[in-house]
Amino acid sequence: MTPLDEFDLAASTVTGVVTAVRADQWTLPTACVDWDVRAVVNHLAHGNAKVAFWAGTGPPAPDGDYLGASPVEAFTASVAAARAVLAAPGLFTRQVTTPLGEVPGVFWYTCG
């Protein structure tokens, strides 16, 4: 299985969970004491937005609301945007800059 295959599997699983969230569940508490369901999903979407920056193909992703009025659609779009970056030729074989410093792209993807 390639790193992109692994991303697709994880993304499909998480997207399935996110699409199953009902309107009345977005404000429910989670195991993350200070975060409700929406905050957890927003955190994941923010992480997806950071992929382009870490890959060296986009600006830093500012903190904030990544879900807007349509959380499921926004999360799904964030997954598609992250996948597009990860699918770029050569990403997993070149160096990328991360909070850990310069690392091979495949290391960043598997450990980031």
Side-chain angles (χ1 to χ4, degrees):
M1 187 175 265
T2 69
L4 195 55
D5 293 334
E6 292 171 355
F7 174 84
D8 288 340
L9 179 60
S12 174
T13 301
V14 175
T15 299
V17 171
V18 170
T19 59
V21 175
R22 296 184 318 264
D24 63 326
Q25 293 176 314
W26 288 101
T27 58
L28 292 176
T30 68
C32 300
V33 178
D34 295 331
W35 291 1
D36 60 12
V37 172
R38 183 184 171 88
V40 171
V41 175
N42 188 67
H43 176 71
L44 297 173
H46 183 221
N48 288 337
K50 290 179 180 180
V51 169
F53 175 68
W54 288 333
T57 61
D63 291 338
D65 180 16
Y66 281 81
L67 300 180
S70 302
V72 172
E73 290 81 9
F75 179 77
T76 302
S78 79
V79 169
R83 190 192 192 285
V85 171
L86 294 172
L91 174 64
F92 297 119
T93 58
R94 66 178 171 82
Q95 293 289 107
V96 297
T97 302
T98 74
L100 300 174
E102 289 283 321
V103 298
V106 73
F107 172 82
W108 157 71
Y109 170 75
T110 58
C111 299

